Amino acid sequence: MSRIVYVNGEYLPEEDAKISVFDRGFLFADAVYEVSAVIGRKLVDNPAHLARLERSMNELKMTPPASGPEIEAIQMQMIEKNDLDEGLIYMQVTRGAADRDFAFPKDATPSLVMFTQKKPLSDNTVAKKGIAVVTVPDIRWKRRDIKTVGLLPASMAKQAALDAGANDAWFVEDGVVNEGSSNNAFIVTHDGKIVTRHLGTEILHGITRKAVIALAAQENLEIEERAFTPEEAYEAREAFSTSASAFVMPVVKIDGHVLGNGVPGPVAEKLRALYLEMAKAG
Ligand code: PDD
């Protein structure tokens, strides 16, 4: 059975789901998106994803194609129609289709598309071993706080990591680590402090980042929201990244430097377990 995809009011088999070649998402990457996790048929931290989607649209002066509750109702339908027990829901809003012109069209109808991806998220074999990351220059645009589909630098970074025999890339700018290709980056110092880059236009304000910081605070772990250098990361006790698609992912090697004894550290494992508990509780 093929997936059921949502396109502008219709639920269609994926081979019948179509978007115009004049869609500005296709021509200008004039589109924003969100990825929400589903565990046990329930959406994880979804109101925060919907709020960020609304903010992304506002920042780009895009007309929302539907209200938050309407979008959530479509997400619920997608879980049902695709029998999605565990995996991801991807949603994308574009400014719509219009004759090609750099200026925003006056009367385009925004487009809303959604699809699901079945994936084992809670029992992730990669998370048990941890991943290797390499650092790459951050060549993205300067509004990384807006979740746009202009993802070529992220795609190139991820591919460069795979070509180098690693699993993911961390973006470095002005000598500091901003974030991962599609996740937020964290280190744990030898005195037990959890460090992640402070918020700003340089990084996406991760929903998982925020939840994990709150969980760490509940555990009385010390958190420092500040920039850190790759060199500090090489010497860290442990490291991890956070995202809706991988939750808390332990990092065991950075630019060839093995952290600790090369296995996921206790802080990353604890935070992953706490996050999963929260996600499963719904
Ligand atoms: N990526 N930073 C970047 C650049 C991201 O693309 C993402 C998410 C994150 C983590 O944000 P959150 O915790 O809200 O998922 C940080 C999604 C998962 C993706 O593009 O597939």
Side-chain angles (χ1 to χ4, degrees):
M1 194 186 78
S2 84
R3 273 179 297 191
I4 297 297
V5 170
Y6 175 87
V7 186
N8 294 325
E10 289 187 287
Y11 295 90
L12 300 163
E14 63 181 77
E15 42 297 349
D16 298 332
K18 304 261 162 56
I19 279 280
S20 164
V21 295
F22 294 103
D23 188 275
R24 289 180 59 93
F26 180 60
L27 296 177
F28 294 101
D30 190 356
V32 295
Y33 76 107
E34 280 296 328
V35 176
S36 287
V38 172
I39 297 248
R41 303 183 90 87
K42 282 189 297 227
L43 288 153
V44 179
D45 222 347
N46 197 49
H49 285 282
L50 292 177
R52 188 173 61 189
L53 179 67
E54 196 176 322
R55 178 184 182 275
S56 294
M57 291 187 288
N58 273 335
E59 290 297 310
L60 298 178
K61 300 184 168 55
M62 228 178 240
T63 313
S67 68
E70 283 164 350
I71 292 175
E72 193 172 58
I74 301 166
Q75 289 175 299
M76 303 308 287
Q77 284 285 314
M78 290 292 281
I79 292 173
E80 275 310 303
K81 290 183 193 298
N82 289 286
D83 191 26
L84 184 66
D85 183 51
E86 191 161 315
L88 304 171
I89 298 194
Y90 175 91
M91 46 188 173
Q92 179 170 320
V93 175
T94 86
R95 204 180 300 276
D99 194 19
R100 186 172 183 274
D101 184 345
F102 283 78
F104 295 168
K106 294 213 163 36
D107 53 3
T109 307
S111 152
L112 173 62
V113 167
M114 271 190 221
F115 59 80
T116 55
Q117 292 179 302
K118 284 193 177 169
K119 265 187 187 169
L121 300 180
S122 47
D123 188 23
N124 181 337
T125 48
V126 181
K128 293 193 177 91
K129 279 178 50 191
I131 60 164
V133 303
V134 290
T135 58
V136 298
D138 199 340
I139 61 165
R140 298 174 299 166
W141 78 326
K142 295 203 163 64
R143 290 302 308 276
R144 301 151 193 160
D145 55 312
I146 306 174
K147 199 163 171 59
T148 80
V149 302
L151 291 174
L152 198 48
S155 172
M156 288 166 70
K158 177 89 179 182
Q159 190 57 46
L162 297 181
D163 292 346
N167 309 88
D168 199 8
W170 280 7
F171 284 123
V172 172
E173 185 176 48
D174 299 332
V176 300
V177 174
N178 279 335
E179 61 183 330
S181 65
S182 60
N183 42 65
N184 290 110
F186 292 71
I187 58 170
V188 182
T189 63
H190 282 277
D191 53 0
K193 290 188 182 112
I194 299 173
V195 183
T196 191
R197 198 201 183 286
H198 51 286
L199 297 177
T201 50
E202 298 83 355
I203 64 168
L204 185 75
H205 301 190
I207 305 301
T208 323
R209 174 190 181 280
K210 189 175 180 190
V212 163
I213 288 175
L215 289 170
Q218 277 168 33
E219 292 296 297
N220 292 319
L221 296 167
E222 208 177 319
I223 299 131
E224 277 183 13
E225 293 187 59
R226 62 160 172 88
F228 61 87
T229 63
E231 292 70 28
E232 187 179 4
Y234 303 156
E235 299 296 321
R237 192 157 79 188
E238 48 177 298
F240 59 91
S241 61
T242 61
S243 68
S245 51
F247 301 153
V248 177
M249 176 57 72
V251 170
V252 296
K253 206 194 257 187
I254 306 172
D255 287 340
H257 300 266
V258 176
L259 306 192
N261 32 17
V263 295
V267 172
E269 295 221 296
K270 176 84 189 166
L271 291 173
R272 181 173 175 84
L274 289 171
Y275 189 85
L276 273 170
E277 213 175 283
M278 189 190 76
K280 284 179 179 163

